[in-house]
């Protein structure tokens, strides 16, 4: 599963400007989830990319 999570993380970061790699790794379960200072910015960027 880690390989799929890594692939999703890197693809999402490349596709969605303004996301933080470490935040995406936490959101997609590659790393243990923890709130980060940049998480709100990453979530806003993901929402913007979603349209």
């Amino acid at each position: 599963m880690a390989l799929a999570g890594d692939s999703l993380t890197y693809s999402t970061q490349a596709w969605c400007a303004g996301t933080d790699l470490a935040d995406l790794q936490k959101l997609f379960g590659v790393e243990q989830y923890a709130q980060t200072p940049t998480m709100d910015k990453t979530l806003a960027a993901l929402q913007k990319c979603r349209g």
Side-chain angles (χ1 to χ4, degrees), residues 22-23 26-27 32-43:
D23 291 341
K26 290 168 181 36
L27 289 170
Q32 184 175 352
Y33 183 82
Q35 183 68 29
T36 65
T38 57
M39 187 62 76
D40 289 338
K41 179 182 173 192
T42 294
L43 292 173

Side-chain angles (χ1 to χ4, degrees), residues 9-43:
T9 299
Y10 287 108
S11 295
T12 302
Q13 186 188 35
W15 175 68
C16 191
T19 55
D20 181 86
L21 183 63
D23 291 341
L24 294 174
Q25 289 173 326
K26 290 168 181 36
L27 289 170
F28 296 145
V30 176
E31 293 185 9
Q32 184 175 352
Y33 183 82
Q35 183 68 29
T36 65
T38 57
M39 187 62 76
D40 289 338
K41 179 182 173 192
T42 294
L43 292 173

